[in-house]
Coordinates of all heavy atoms in Angstrom, one line a residue:
L1 N 11.3 10.3 -1.0 CA 11.1 10.4 -2.4 C 11.1 9.0 -3.0 O 10.3 8.8 -3.9 CB 12.1 11.4 -2.9 CG 12.1 11.6 -4.4 CD1 10.7 12.2 -4.9 CD2 13.2 12.5 -4.9
L2 N 12.2 8.3 -2.7 CA 12.3 6.9 -3.3 C 11.2 6.0 -2.9 O 10.7 5.3 -3.7 CB 13.7 6.3 -2.9 CG 14.9 7.0 -3.5 CD1 16.2 6.5 -2.8 CD2 15.0 6.8 -5.0
Y3 N 10.7 6.2 -1.7 CA 9.6 5.4 -1.3 C 8.3 5.7 -2.2 O 7.6 4.7 -2.5 CB 9.2 5.8 0.2 CG 8.1 5.0 0.8 CD1 8.3 4.0 1.7 CD2 6.7 5.5 0.5 CE1 7.2 3.4 2.2 CE2 5.7 4.8 1.2 CZ 5.9 3.8 2.0 OH 4.9 3.0 2.7
C4 N 8.1 6.9 -2.5 CA 6.9 7.3 -3.4 C 7.2 6.6 -4.7 O 6.1 6.1 -5.3 CB 6.7 8.7 -3.4 SG 6.1 9.5 -1.9
V5 N 8.3 6.8 -5.2 CA 8.7 6.2 -6.5 C 8.4 4.7 -6.5 O 7.9 4.1 -7.5 CB 10.1 6.5 -6.9 CG1 10.5 5.8 -8.2 CG2 10.2 8.1 -7.2
S6 N 8.8 4.0 -5.5 CA 8.8 2.6 -5.4 C 7.3 2.0 -5.4 O 7.1 0.9 -5.7 CB 9.4 2.1 -4.1 OG 8.6 2.3 -2.9
L7 N 6.3 2.8 -5.1 CA 4.9 2.5 -5.2 C 4.4 2.2 -6.6 O 3.4 1.5 -6.8 CB 4.0 3.5 -4.5 CG 4.3 3.8 -3.1 CD1 3.3 4.9 -2.5 CD2 4.0 2.6 -2.2
Y8 N 5.1 2.7 -7.6 CA 4.8 2.6 -9.0 C 5.3 1.4 -9.6 O 5.0 1.0 -10.7 CB 5.1 3.8 -9.7 CG 4.4 5.1 -9.4 CD1 4.9 5.8 -8.3 CD2 3.3 5.5 -10.1 CE1 4.1 7.0 -7.9 CE2 2.6 6.7 -9.7 CZ 3.1 7.4 -8.6 OH 2.3 8.6 -8.3
M9 N 6.2 0.7 -8.9 CA 7.0 -0.4 -9.5 C 6.4 -1.8 -9.5 O 6.4 -2.5 -10.5 CB 8.4 -0.5 -8.8 CG 9.2 0.7 -9.1 SD 10.8 0.7 -8.1 CE 11.5 2.3 -8.5
P10 N 5.7 -2.2 -8.4 CA 5.3 -3.7 -8.3 C 4.0 -3.9 -9.0 O 3.2 -3.0 -9.4 CB 5.0 -3.9 -6.8 CG 5.6 -2.7 -6.1 CD 5.6 -1.5 -7.2
D11 N 3.7 -5.2 -9.3 CA 2.4 -5.6 -9.8 C 1.4 -5.4 -8.7 O 0.2 -5.1 -9.1 CB 2.5 -7.1 -10.3 CG 3.4 -7.4 -11.3 OD1 3.2 -6.9 -12.5 OD2 4.4 -8.0 -11.1
L12 N 1.7 -5.5 -7.4 CA 0.8 -5.3 -6.4 C 1.6 -4.8 -5.2 O 2.7 -5.3 -4.8 CB 0.1 -6.6 -6.0 CG -0.9 -6.6 -4.9 CD1 -2.1 -5.9 -5.5 CD2 -1.3 -8.0 -4.4
V13 N 1.0 -3.8 -4.6 CA 1.6 -3.3 -3.3 C 0.7 -3.7 -2.2 O -0.5 -3.4 -2.2 CB 1.7 -1.7 -3.4 CG1 2.1 -1.2 -2.0 CG2 2.5 -1.2 -4.4
I14 N 1.2 -4.3 -1.2 CA 0.5 -4.8 -0.1 C 0.7 -3.9 1.1 O 1.9 -3.8 1.5 CB 0.8 -6.2 0.2 CG1 0.6 -7.2 -0.9 CG2 0.0 -6.7 1.5 CD1 1.1 -8.6 -0.7
S15 N -0.3 -3.2 1.7 CA -0.2 -2.4 2.7 C -0.6 -3.2 4.0 O -1.5 -4.0 4.0 CB -1.1 -1.2 2.7 OG -1.3 -0.5 3.9
V16 N 0.1 -2.9 5.2 CA -0.3 -3.6 6.3 C -1.4 -3.0 7.1 O -1.9 -3.5 8.2 CB 0.9 -3.8 7.3 CG1 1.9 -4.7 6.7 CG2 1.5 -2.4 7.7
S17 N -2.0 -1.8 6.6 CA -3.1 -1.3 7.2 C -3.9 -0.5 6.2 O -3.4 0.0 5.2 CB -2.7 -0.2 8.3 OG -2.2 0.9 7.8
D18 N -5.2 -0.4 6.4 CA -6.2 0.3 5.5 C -5.8 1.7 5.4 O -5.8 2.5 4.3 CB -7.7 0.1 6.0 CG -8.1 -1.2 5.6 OD1 -7.7 -1.8 4.5 OD2 -8.9 -1.8 6.4
S19 N -5.5 2.4 6.6 CA -5.2 3.8 6.5 C -3.9 4.1 5.7 O -3.8 5.1 5.0 CB -4.9 4.3 8.0 OG -4.0 3.6 8.7
M20 N -3.0 3.2 5.8 CA -1.7 3.4 4.9 C -2.2 3.2 3.4 O -1.7 4.1 2.6 CB -0.7 2.3 5.2 CG 0.2 2.6 6.4 SD 1.4 1.2 6.7 CE 2.2 1.1 5.1
R21 N -3.0 2.2 3.1 CA -3.4 2.1 1.7 C -4.1 3.2 1.2 O -3.8 3.8 0.1 CB -4.2 0.9 1.6 CG -4.7 0.5 0.2 CD -5.6 -0.7 0.1 NE -6.7 -0.6 1.0 CZ -7.8 0.0 0.9 NH1 -8.1 0.7 -0.2 NH2 -8.8 0.0 1.8
Q22 N -5.0 3.8 2.0 CA -5.7 5.0 1.5 C -4.9 6.2 1.3 O -5.1 7.0 0.3 CB -6.8 5.3 2.6 CG -8.0 4.3 2.7 CD -8.7 4.5 4.1 OE1 -8.5 5.4 4.8 NE2 -9.6 3.4 4.2
R23 N -3.8 6.4 2.0 CA -2.9 7.5 1.7 C -2.0 7.2 0.5 O -1.7 8.1 -0.3 CB -1.9 7.7 3.0 CG -2.7 8.3 4.1 CD -1.8 8.5 5.3 NE -0.7 9.4 5.0 CZ 0.1 9.9 6.0 NH1 0.1 9.5 7.2 NH2 1.1 10.8 5.7
M24 N -1.7 5.9 0.2 CA -0.9 5.6 -1.0 C -1.7 5.9 -2.3 O -1.0 6.5 -3.2 CB -0.5 4.2 -0.9 CG 0.6 3.9 0.2 SD 0.9 2.1 0.4 CE 2.0 2.0 1.7
V25 N -2.9 5.5 -2.3 CA -3.6 5.7 -3.6 C -4.0 7.1 -4.0 O -4.5 7.4 -5.0 CB -4.9 4.8 -3.6 CG1 -4.6 3.3 -3.3 CG2 -5.8 5.3 -2.4
R26 N -3.6 8.0 -3.1 CA -3.9 9.5 -3.3 C -2.8 10.0 -4.3 O -3.0 11.1 -4.9 CB -3.9 10.3 -2.1 CG -5.1 10.0 -1.2 CD -4.9 10.7 0.2 NE -5.9 10.4 1.1 CZ -5.8 10.5 2.4 NH1 -4.8 11.2 2.9 NH2 -6.8 10.1 3.2
L27 N -1.7 9.3 -4.4 CA -0.6 9.7 -5.3 C -1.1 9.6 -6.8 O -1.9 8.8 -7.2 CB 0.7 8.9 -5.2 CG 1.4 9.1 -3.9 CD1 2.6 8.0 -3.8 CD2 2.0 10.4 -3.9
P28 N -0.7 10.6 -7.6 CA -1.3 10.6 -9.0 C -0.8 9.4 -9.9 O 0.2 8.9 -9.7 CB -0.7 11.9 -9.6 CG 0.6 12.1 -8.7 CD 0.1 11.7 -7.4
G29 N -1.7 8.9 -10.6 CA -1.5 7.6 -11.4 C -1.6 6.3 -10.8 O -1.4 5.4 -11.4
L30 N -1.9 6.4 -9.5 CA -2.1 5.0 -8.8 C -3.6 4.7 -8.6 O -4.3 5.5 -8.3 CB -1.4 5.1 -7.4 CG 0.1 5.2 -7.5 CD1 0.7 5.3 -6.1 CD2 0.8 4.0 -8.3
S31 N -3.9 3.5 -8.8 CA -5.3 3.0 -8.8 C -5.5 2.0 -7.6 O -4.5 1.4 -7.2 CB -5.7 2.4 -10.1 OG -5.0 1.2 -10.3
E32 N -6.7 1.9 -7.2 CA -7.0 1.0 -6.1 C -6.6 -0.4 -6.4 O -6.2 -1.3 -5.6 CB -8.5 1.0 -5.8 CG -9.0 2.3 -5.1 CD -8.8 2.2 -3.6 OE1 -8.3 1.2 -3.1 OE2 -9.2 3.2 -2.9
E33 N -6.7 -0.8 -7.7 CA -6.3 -2.2 -8.2 C -4.9 -2.5 -7.9 O -4.6 -3.7 -7.9 CB -6.7 -2.4 -9.7 CG -8.2 -2.3 -10.0 CD -8.7 -0.9 -9.8 OE1 -8.0 0.1 -10.1 OE2 -10.0 -0.9 -9.5
R34 N -4.1 -1.5 -7.8 CA -2.6 -1.9 -7.6 C -2.3 -2.2 -6.1 O -1.3 -2.7 -5.7 CB -1.7 -0.7 -7.9 CG -0.3 -0.9 -7.8 CD 0.5 0.4 -8.2 NE 0.4 0.7 -9.6 CZ 1.4 0.3 -10.5 NH1 2.4 -0.4 -10.1 NH2 1.2 0.7 -11.8
F35 N -3.3 -2.1 -5.2 CA -3.1 -2.1 -3.8 C -4.0 -3.1 -3.1 O -5.1 -3.4 -3.6 CB -3.4 -0.7 -3.1 CG -2.3 0.3 -3.5 CD1 -2.5 1.0 -4.6 CD2 -1.2 0.5 -2.7 CE1 -1.6 2.0 -5.0 CE2 -0.2 1.4 -3.1 CZ -0.4 2.2 -4.2
A36 N -3.5 -3.7 -2.0 CA -4.3 -4.6 -1.2 C -3.8 -4.4 0.3 O -2.7 -3.9 0.4 CB -4.2 -6.1 -1.6
T37 N -4.7 -4.8 1.2 CA -4.3 -4.6 2.6 C -4.3 -6.0 3.2 O -5.2 -6.9 3.0 CB -5.4 -3.8 3.4 OG1 -5.4 -2.4 2.9 CG2 -5.0 -3.8 4.9
V38 N -3.2 -6.3 3.9 CA -3.1 -7.6 4.7 C -2.6 -7.1 6.1 O -1.4 -6.8 6.2 CB -2.2 -8.6 4.1 CG1 -2.1 -9.9 5.0 CG2 -2.7 -9.0 2.7
H39 N -3.5 -7.3 7.0 CA -3.0 -6.9 8.4 C -2.1 -7.9 9.0 O -2.2 -9.2 8.7 CB -4.2 -6.9 9.4 CG -5.1 -5.7 9.3 ND1 -6.4 -5.7 9.4 CD2 -4.8 -4.3 9.0 CE1 -6.9 -4.5 9.3 NE2 -6.0 -3.7 9.0
N40 N -1.0 -7.5 9.7 CA -0.1 -8.4 10.3 C -0.9 -9.3 11.3 O -1.8 -8.9 11.9 CB 1.0 -7.7 11.1 CG 1.9 -6.9 10.1 OD1 2.1 -7.2 8.9 ND2 2.5 -5.9 10.6
G41 N -0.4 -10.6 11.4 CA -1.0 -11.4 12.4 C 0.2 -12.2 13.1 O 1.3 -12.2 12.8
I42 N -0.3 -12.7 14.3 CA 0.7 -13.4 15.2 C 0.0 -14.6 15.8 O -1.2 -14.8 15.8 CB 1.1 -12.5 16.4 CG1 -0.1 -12.1 17.2 CG2 1.8 -11.3 15.9 CD1 0.2 -11.4 18.5
D43 N 0.9 -15.4 16.3 CA 0.4 -16.6 17.1 C 0.2 -16.1 18.5 O 1.1 -16.1 19.4 CB 1.5 -17.7 17.1 CG 1.1 -18.9 17.9 OD1 0.0 -19.0 18.6 OD2 2.0 -19.9 18.1
A44 N -1.0 -15.8 18.8 CA -1.4 -15.1 20.0 C -1.1 -15.9 21.3 O -0.6 -15.3 22.3 CB -2.9 -14.7 20.1
D45 N -1.3 -17.1 21.2 CA -1.0 -18.1 22.4 C 0.5 -18.0 22.8 O 0.7 -18.2 24.0 CB -1.5 -19.5 22.2 CG -3.0 -19.6 22.1 OD1 -3.6 -18.7 22.6 OD2 -3.5 -20.6 21.5

């Protein structure tokens, strides 16, 4: 419940996956503009 509430607080919510972002924006009152996706990255070598 607190997790859902916390989505309304920031200027920008960054999701680590597109599928997560798509589920978040379904909540009432949240727009695509509040969200961005940045996939995690690593030093592969």
Side-chain angles (χ1 to χ4, degrees):
L1 176 62
L2 292 173
Y3 180 98
C4 290
V5 170
S6 73
L7 296 176
Y8 294 82
M9 298 173 177
D11 299 289
L12 185 70
V13 177
I14 301 168
S15 167
V16 295
S17 73
D18 285 323
S19 51
M20 279 179 55
R21 178 179 56 78
Q22 290 162 9
R23 289 180 62 176
M24 291 173 185
V25 298
R26 294 174 191 159
L27 290 172
L30 293 178
S31 64
E32 289 277 359
E33 291 72 27
R34 185 184 287 269
F35 294 86
T37 298
V38 177
H39 286 143
N40 293 336
I42 62 170
D43 178 0
D45 290 339

